[in-house]
Amino acid sequence: MQTELLDNPTPCAMLKPLEGRVLVVDDEEPNRTLLRDSLEPHGYEIEEAAEGEEALGRVAACPPDVVLLDVMMPGMDGFEVCERLKKDPATASIPVLMVTALSARQERLMGIAAGANDFLNKPVDLQDLTLRVRNAVQAKRLYDQLQAEQRKSERLLLNVLPRPIAERMKQGELNIADAHADVSVLVADLAGFTRLSVHIAPEQILALLNEIFSAFDLLVEKHRLEKIKTIGDAYMAAGGLSGEDPAHLESMSRLALEMRDDLARFNAGYHTSLRLRLGLSVGPVVAGVIGRDKFAYDLWGDTVNLACQLEASAEPGTIRVSEAVFERLKDRFRFEPCLLRGLKGREDTACYVLHP
């Protein structure tokens, strides 16, 4: 039998029948046999259940593409089975074709109310059966493809936007700009990377940079902070944008120290001599989304500018922080005082070097 790979396949079947999997639910074995023998020659994989609870268990264990569901069964009837399937988000998208000897309008309405997608009358017209099952499977496959594309789009969106911002954009909000009173901003730059890149192939440059920044991404996630962007061999992260973490500045300071340690391990493994310059400040920022087709989430304000200036003036391998950072963390870390002179738009500015 031909098979095709599923997007995010379930553990019950890494390979799926090309034509689909059908669950036949009927308390009478001859009826199940008739439906199975009619569909299997067309390439469908058939599972059977003799009553409602068994059917729900089989669906939960390995969701089929279609359920052929008898209405009149002892215990839990088909209406209740259908209703329970449709109320569960995990199974609501599975087409349910109710097989019934009832022709009264009231029973049809009950099936529709329970969420049935289609009906087959007993005795079953076998040509009608194959056509309706085929259409139902095709509809389910199209739905699954749309869901897979939606998940892919959401993953891409979350790669460039914080989750709360992505959710707002999905709701149709376009002009997003928020003022935040207390945000920690970290800017890091790879000292020595430009010189190294002159001597290695472009694909090696990309691979090295990707490995370093991917490791930084994991550290940012570990500390529940937010990666903002990369520019060349520079990396920016922020904390406190959600307003839910009063300890974001301490987390950001630990992130800076761990990024430096992580790069030291990278150097040892690849026999390189890269070092980080890091700048950290804290204060108010404006955060928002710019662009329409190729949008980006970014930060603006003096807090951001100061973090950039602290990074640019730092010695390779050091973490320079603003006076506001020092005042808030002086009881938790060691600091060494320094002074920034000649910065654009600033008078002489006190700063500190952060130590573990």
Side-chain angles (χ1 to χ4, degrees), residues 20 22-23 34 38 62 79 89 92 113 120 128 157 167 190 197 206 213 218 223 239 250 264 269 312 339 347 353:
V22 180
L23 174 62
L34 174 66
S38 300
C62 191
F79 297 124
L120 286 164
D128 189 28
L157 196 62
E167 292 297 329
L190 287 169
S197 64
L206 182 61
F213 283 174
L218 292 175
H223 289 284
E250 182 174 350
L339 186 67
E347 299 178 351
V353 176

Side-chain angles (χ1 to χ4, degrees), residues 298-333:
D298 212 343
L299 308 179
W300 299 270
D302 188 62
T303 302
V304 180
N305 294 338
L306 181 55
C308 293
Q309 291 173 326
L310 288 165
E311 174 273 312
S313 65
E315 293 293 327
T318 64
I319 305 167
R320 281 196 169 182
V321 307
S322 67
E323 188 168 18
V325 173
F326 166 74
E327 289 296 334
R328 287 168 59 169
L329 298 180
K330 58 186 178 184
D331 296 330
R332 295 183 177 86
F333 298 91

Side-chain angles (χ1 to χ4, degrees), residues 65-90:
D65 293 299
V66 180
V67 176
L68 289 177
L69 180 60
D70 186 33
V71 170
M72 305 301 294
M73 294 186 296
M76 186 187 302
D77 63 23
F79 297 124
E80 185 177 351
V81 173
C82 182
E83 186 174 9
R84 288 177 61 173
L85 288 173
K86 294 301 180 178
K87 283 184 176 181
D88 185 346

Side-chain angles (χ1 to χ4, degrees), residues 70-72 98-104 107-108 120-123:
D70 186 33
V71 170
M72 305 301 294
M98 302 200 83
V99 184
T100 176
L102 302 174
S103 58
E107 279 73 22
R108 290 278 178 143
L120 286 164
N121 290 324
K122 291 182 178 180

Side-chain angles (χ1 to χ4, degrees), residues 90-109:
T91 59
S93 64
I94 300 173
V96 176
L97 278 59
M98 302 200 83
V99 184
T100 176
L102 302 174
S103 58
R105 178 174 177 271
Q106 183 63 32
E107 279 73 22
R108 290 278 178 143
L109 292 176

